[in-house]
Amino acid sequence: MTLTAMRTIAAARRALADRLRQAGIDSADADARLLMAHALGIDRAELMANGERALNGDEMKAIDALGERRLKREPVARIFGRKEFWSLSLQVSPAVLVPRPETETVIEATLDAVVRDALQTEKLRILDIGTGSGALLLALLSELPNAVGTGSDISAAALEVARANAERNDLAGRCTFVACDIAAGLQGPFDLIVSNPPYVARSDIASLAPEVRGYDPALALDGGPDGLDGYRAIAADARRLLAPGGRLIVELGMGQEPAVRALFTTAGLIVAAAHDDLAGIPRALSATVAP
Ligand code: GLN
């Protein structure tokens, strides 16, 4: 038996955390715990309880392989191939954005409006434009038991992920997925339209975190020269697609509220106050059709 094969779980975890920290990864300790537990096929509580157990060579190799991926800035969610969003476990692939916590603000804003209008048990028709992993559509369907939905995406590979996520969360019976750009060719009416469009200004993509620019699909980030192309396309289609009394709720990039508000107002929509995310950034904007 070699000396390295005698390394304990606790020592390997500390060594991995140190390597990640030295590489400038802020979440080094948490990531080391997650990756170790994943490599060993145990949960984090077992990992912490078994710190003195010696690792064998195969276990060491498995840990190293995951550590190398994280050192190349691959996000933990991509290494695992899944991410929690709202109350759902979602599969992710290179074709989709990793769902982010701030995107839950769109769900909160939507459910707030639905509850305020006492529509929770209605057969609401939902459209999610640029559905990606299906995160927004599936979270809403999980909360609204009688709603039905459509997810659109320009990427066929993304739609495969969304379909798989609908299946794994037992929601496939209430949704369909359509390959198209924004909403081209879709017929309304929809009671709720939600979207997290690509909203990063093209020239800003290079300065995003390496986890984002290196791994999220460019198609899902690139909002054109000013980041607003997706909102323009949505604004152009919103009145055609919304049912009377229907509502559009979009995620905003940082600082985009005034510009998106102006675009939607010009398109004949009535725009409400934005919902802030947990960092206090205006993150979800909701609009209805002017009568
Ligand atoms: N939230 C992503 C970012 O890191 C952008 C996602 C999007 O363009 N919708 O900026």
Side-chain angles (χ1 to χ4, degrees):
M1 190 180 281
T2 68
L3 275 177
T4 47
M6 294 289 292
R7 182 172 255 190
T8 64
I9 286 181
R13 181 173 58 75
R14 281 193 298 270
L16 177 58
D18 287 345
R19 283 182 74 201
L20 297 179
R21 198 175 306 106
Q22 280 155 18
I25 294 172
D26 290 338
S27 49
D29 285 306
D31 288 1
R33 280 194 295 275
L34 286 166
L35 294 173
M36 289 275 304
H38 190 72
L40 299 174
I42 59 180
D43 65 28
R44 276 176 289 172
E46 287 175 87
L47 182 80
M48 300 317 273
N50 290 288
E52 295 316 306
R53 173 165 88 66
L55 293 166
N56 66 38
D58 285 346
E59 290 173 327
M60 296 281 296
K61 267 193 218 129
I63 293 162
D64 273 348
L66 298 190
E68 288 305 325
R69 289 174 68 177
R70 186 69 190 96
L71 284 167
K72 290 183 190 138
R73 294 301 184 125
E74 185 169 355
V76 172
R78 293 205 180 276
I79 296 173
F80 289 9
R82 98 187 115 69
K83 176 76 180 176
E84 305 297 314
F85 180 79
W86 203 249
S87 62
L88 308 175
S89 168
L90 299 178
Q91 178 190 316
V92 294
S93 85
V96 303
L97 283 184
V98 173
R100 291 180 172 66
E102 61 265 29
T103 299
E104 295 185 343
T105 312
V106 177
I107 303 297
E108 287 164 5
T110 306
L111 294 177
D112 273 5
V114 166
V115 169
R116 201 167 49 238
D117 296 345
L119 299 173
Q120 303 93 296
T121 57
E122 295 297 308
K123 195 181 173 190
L124 295 172
R125 296 155 295 185
I126 304 172
L127 170 63
D128 178 7
I129 295 176
T131 194
S133 65
L136 287 175
L137 177 62
L138 298 174
L140 288 173
L141 292 179
S142 77
E143 293 289 337
L144 302 169
N146 297 318
V148 295
T150 302
S152 79
D153 207 289
I154 198 167
S155 159
L159 291 174
E160 271 177 43
V161 177
R163 279 194 195 97
N165 282 327
E167 292 285 348
R168 69 189 265 159
N169 288 286
D170 292 326
L171 296 166
R174 288 194 281 134
C175 54
T176 51
F177 294 97
V178 180
C180 66
D181 189 8
I182 302 290
L186 288 182
Q187 304 291 324
F190 294 100
D191 303 296
L192 295 170
I193 300 178
V194 292
S195 186
N196 174 18
Y199 58 57
V200 183
R202 194 166 294 151
S203 57
D204 290 346
I205 292 179
S207 49
L208 296 174
E211 282 81 355
V212 177
R213 79 173 125 80
Y215 294 92
D216 276 330
L219 212 50
L221 297 174
D222 185 346
D226 63 358
L228 300 172
D229 282 359
Y231 301 109
R232 281 189 197 95
I234 291 168
D237 268 351
R239 289 181 54 144
R240 176 177 77 78
L241 292 170
L242 281 172
R247 187 175 289 275
L248 165 68
I249 306 98
V250 296
E251 177 167 330
L252 298 169
M254 207 194 299
Q256 289 177 327
E257 186 200 345
V260 177
R261 176 180 294 279
L263 275 172
F264 285 1
T265 304
T266 304
L269 302 173
I270 301 171
V271 188
H275 276 62
D276 290 354
D277 65 17
L278 293 174
I281 295 165
R283 189 59 77 181
L285 199 63
S286 165
T288 51
V289 187

